[in-house]
Amino acid sequence: MRLRARGRPLVVAVALLTGLAGLSVGAQPAAAAERVVLSKGHTDAVDVHLEDGVLSLQVHDDTVEPAVSRDPADVIFHALPASAAAVPDHPDYAFLGPAGSTIWLLPQIQNPDLLWPGWNTTTLENGVFRGDEVTISLVDVDGPGNVWVYMEDAIGLPLHQFRSDDGLPDALQVPVHTHAHANWAFGATGTYTLKFQADATLADGTPVSTGPVDYTFVVGDLTGSPPPTEINLDIYGLEDSYSPGRQVNLVAATDIETELDHFHWFSRCPGAAEFTVIAGEGSFSYQFTATEALNGCQYKAILYDDDHNAVAEADPVTLVVEPGHDPGEPGASQAIVATIRDSDGALVVSVDPDDRVVTLPAATLGANGDRLASSGALRPVTVTDTRVGKPGWNASGQVSDFVGTAGNFGGRYLGWAPEVIAQAAGQDVVAGPVAASGFTSGNGLASGALLGSAPSGSGRGTARLGAVVSLELPTDTAAGEYAATLTLTAI
């Protein structure tokens, strides 16, 4: 599956299958993941990370064992109806409303029956940022009521961190190695979108920013809460015009990560009333040869779920085919002006859609007798960079939890040793470092790891990356079938 991105990371998913001695481990094709609802327990909602110079916001979900990192777009934070509380009868709390009126509160001190969200910079190292701090900002709030995030001092009075009732954005300077919790108060029930952003300046003076990141909070009953994230589909690759005989390469790409990969392509040529399906074209890409007869034809792609329901439809694109021109009499000439913009081109990461399942051999008892172990080869990953500016790129991977019929186990048990299989002349692609399994310590690939990179000035072209993936598990892992998804990202 290949995704093309403009101004955002691009991702591609690879299924992982393995077998353990005494148990069968496999994978079924996964449907589009529904958003995870977090209603109780500890979570660092705004979890700041820096990887390969890129600042990002994640959600550290500690409500599961082992804890996992999630994309904020995949999470709904749920303030249960039981979070309803009365506004204190104290003038310093009048910002919440009249004394005794109802707000919905996720408290600073953990209540095991409610969600306990916070923010976290503990993965950030000293000396990386100027002042050893980052700025976390609440940029915007869209919802049925106001939102207040505040702490309480030693005598119980509020210390405001973010509040939407007096204007946004609100910025909070947070040192590295900080793990904090606060009161999250909401003025009404319903669905809220909170936009958080993290900014910092690297020690060398380079500014880094996550840009605004949407967080969804549902306060009260989940009835009527938002459905799984809407998928938008776009078509890339179409040029302004083609001469007869040239190949046309169309790529349908979603704006968010999805496991769905069942496409149909449709065409409608001048004079036709309706779009008709193009037989045999069921993948994300469609290639054909331009002819004069196809001039003015329109093409679109539709993405379907496992029940063959359409979940996303791309706007049609129109093919322009220009006939060849007679060069004219000798001595005739024309001026030709070509403009190439630095922003043109694309960064594409791909795996063969028919070869993206990694099947590990049956695991055996390790030499020390303390773990089950298996290893195998990652399917080749192709990174193609056609951007004229040669900005360089990083390709990385992050694995989900393994989900099985007999239970789950964390993705931290998977590690890899990357390698560069091939690269184009002039490229200087480097394999990422070994990321060991987190069997004894660490998070393995659960927290993401670099697969390969190309520095600025030497990334343009096509490179193929691979890795030896290694799985190490406790010897008491329950027998059953398990599956995980490795998401590859190129930026």
Side-chain angles (χ1 to χ4, degrees), residues 10 28 50 106 113 137 151 169 177 222 237-238 249 253 289 317 337 347 361 375 403 408 421 423 425 428 447 479-480:
L10 54 149
Q28 298 296 326
L50 181 74
L106 300 176
D113 294 325
S137 301
M151 294 181 176
H177 300 304
L222 267 177
L238 185 74
N249 297 293
T289 300
V317 296
V337 178
L347 178 64
S375 64
V403 178
N408 306 336
I421 300 173
Q423 58 181 302
D428 187 19
S447 296

Side-chain angles (χ1 to χ4, degrees), residues 107-448:
Q108 177 179 346
I109 304 301
Q110 185 174 18
N111 177 341
D113 294 325
L114 298 175
L115 189 64
W116 193 36
W119 54 88
N120 182 42
T121 63
T122 58
T123 65
L124 305 180
E125 299 179 358
N126 290 320
V128 175
F129 303 100
R130 284 188 177 177
D132 280 337
E133 67 179 15
V134 299
T135 301
I136 297 176
S137 301
L138 179 59
V139 177
D140 188 38
V141 170
D142 181 15
N146 287 313
V147 177
W148 304 271
V149 182
Y150 62 94
M151 294 181 176
E152 294 178 356
D153 64 15
I155 59 174
L157 298 182
L159 301 171
H160 291 286
Q161 312 300 316
F162 311 106
R163 55 186 299 180
S164 67
D165 61 334
D166 64 352
L168 293 173
D170 285 346
L172 178 65
Q173 305 300 318
V174 182
V176 299
H177 300 304
T178 295
H179 177 221
H181 287 268
N183 298 287
W184 298 64
F186 300 85
T189 58
T191 300
Y192 295 75
T193 299
L194 280 60
K195 291 183 182 292
F196 281 100
Q197 178 172 315
D199 298 274
T201 302
L202 298 179
D204 64 4
T206 302
V208 289
S209 176
T210 63
V213 178
D214 287 352
Y215 284 74
T216 300
F217 283 75
V218 175
V219 179
D221 199 322
L222 267 177
T223 301
S225 63
T229 305
E230 180 181 357
I231 299 175
N232 295 313
L233 190 65
D234 292 300
I235 295 176
Y236 299 103
L238 185 74
E239 299 182 16
D240 292 338
S241 64
Y242 295 81
S243 58
R246 283 195 59 198
Q247 180 167 303
V248 182
N249 297 293
L250 303 181
V251 175
T254 58
D255 64 337
I256 61 172
E257 176 188 352
T258 175
E259 291 299 314
L260 298 179
D261 59 2
H262 181 189
F263 293 84
H264 282 307
W265 288 86
F266 298 79
S267 67
R268 181 178 64 187
C269 290
E274 303 290 340
F275 278 90
T276 58
V277 68
I278 301 171
E281 297 297 335
S283 76
F284 64 92
S285 63
Y286 174 41
Q287 294 83 36
F288 60 96
T289 300
T291 66
E292 290 188 38
L294 297 179
N295 182 45
C297 292
Q298 292 184 305
Y299 299 88
K300 69 178 182 179
I302 298 179
L303 176 64
Y304 296 85
D305 62 19
D306 292 341
D307 296 322
H308 209 263
N309 298 311
V311 297
E313 179 174 340
D315 291 333
V317 296
T318 302
L319 178 69
V320 176
V321 182
E322 298 180 342
H325 296 283
D326 188 335
E329 296 298 327
S333 65
Q334 295 183 9
I336 301 176
V337 178
T339 300
I340 300 175
R341 298 170 299 184
D342 183 69
S343 60
D344 285 347
L347 178 64
V348 177
V349 59
S350 63
V351 296
D352 185 341
D354 297 322
D355 184 25
R356 63 174 188 170
V357 176
V358 179
T359 303
L360 300 180
T364 57
L365 195 64
N368 295 328
D370 62 342
R371 70 196 69 181
L372 296 170
S374 180
S375 64
L378 184 71
R379 310 317 302 148
V381 177
T382 300
V383 180
T384 299
D385 187 3
T386 61
R387 297 171 295 175
V388 177
K390 300 180 181 179
W393 49 262
N394 294 313
S396 59
Q398 184 174 14
V399 73
S400 69
D401 285 352
F402 284 78
V403 178
T405 57
N408 306 336
F409 58 81
R412 69 184 181 91
Y413 291 110
L414 189 74
W416 69 13
E419 60 179 346
V420 178
I421 300 173
Q423 58 181 302
Q427 284 189 304
D428 187 19
V429 180
V430 179
V434 173
S437 164
F439 178 81
T440 54
S441 63
N443 287 318
L445 296 186
S447 296

Side-chain angles (χ1 to χ4, degrees), residues 22-36:
L23 53 134
S24 171
V25 181
Q28 298 296 326
E34 293 189 355
R35 298 168 79 177
V36 174

